Each structure stands twice: as C-alpha cells, then as structure tokens.
Amino acid sequence: FHADFIESCNQVRKDRDKLYENLNAFSQLSVYQPDANFIFCRLPDAGLNAPQLTEKLFIDHNMYIKHCLGKTLTHGDRFIRIASRTEQENINLVDALASILGYK
C-alpha cells in the first residue's frame, strides 16, 4: 500500500495548497503558510469575530471550522483554523466564507 499512501499524501498536499491559494484571495484575511492539513487565518479587526464566523458558517452552510478563542494567543477571537478536505469541499467552504465575509 506504500504507493497508494504516497499518492494520497500528495493529493492532500495539493488540495491544501489550493485552499491556501484561494483563501489568500481574501484581501483582509491574513492566511498563514501551512505545514499540515489545516490553514491558520486571522480575521480583520472589524467585522465578525472568529466564534461568530464559526457559528454563522455552521448554521447557514452546515460547515464547521475551528475558532481559536480560549487558546493561549493574543486576540484568539480573531483566529480560525480551517481543515483542508477534498477539492470540492474546499471550494464550497471558500464560497461560503466569501458570502459571509462580503466578498461575493
């Protein structure tokens, strides 16, 4: 199964990198270069905070991301952690974020 494992890892990396690229299109969102299968982002100071965005995304779009409120970092209510999934799920997430954040 070694070849299948390597192929799967490469696909995860490719999907994650495309999600990173798509999130970088949001001008006010600070997106941090990932090393894992998730992407860490900082929301702008104005507008929804991370818990509000997480709740809205879940209620309106049935999607879940992790907010960082309560973590040991300054302004944790401004940070989100987005797990990379399949290419189509990542596209759907970016579209949902765009509608919530007012980019579409």
Side-chain angles (χ1 to χ4, degrees):
F1 299 104
H2 183 72
D4 291 336
F5 175 74
I6 297 300
E7 183 180 333
S8 177
C9 290
N10 289 336
Q11 186 63 51
V12 166
R13 209 173 288 115
K14 178 182 169 191
D15 292 339
R16 179 210 58 204
D17 291 346
K18 183 65 175 171
L19 176 59
Y20 171 75
E21 179 183 315
N22 289 338
L23 290 171
N24 265 315
F26 298 118
S27 60
Q28 294 180 332
L29 194 64
S30 298
V31 184
Y32 298 87
Q33 181 72 45
D35 285 327
N37 68 331
F38 66 87
I39 300 173
F40 196 58
C41 305
R42 189 183 196 290
L43 299 171
D45 290 333
L48 295 174
N49 66 27
Q52 292 167 330
L53 175 63
T54 300
E55 181 178 358
K56 189 158 184 58
L57 189 62
F58 183 72
I59 290 171
D60 294 352
H61 299 276
N62 197 32
M63 297 177 182
Y64 182 74
I65 60 173
K66 178 87 173 131
H67 65 73
C68 297
L69 181 65
K71 300 291 183 190
T72 56
L73 71 148
T74 305
H75 307 293
D77 68 324
R78 304 311 307 168
F79 289 90
I80 55 175
R81 189 181 113 164
I82 301 172
S84 178
R85 298 185 48 110
T86 66
E87 180 181 11
Q88 189 58 55
E89 288 172 311
N90 290 345
I91 289 168
N92 294 344
L93 175 66
V94 168
D95 289 345
L97 286 172
S99 71
I100 292 170
L101 296 173
Y103 289 97
K104 283 190 176 180

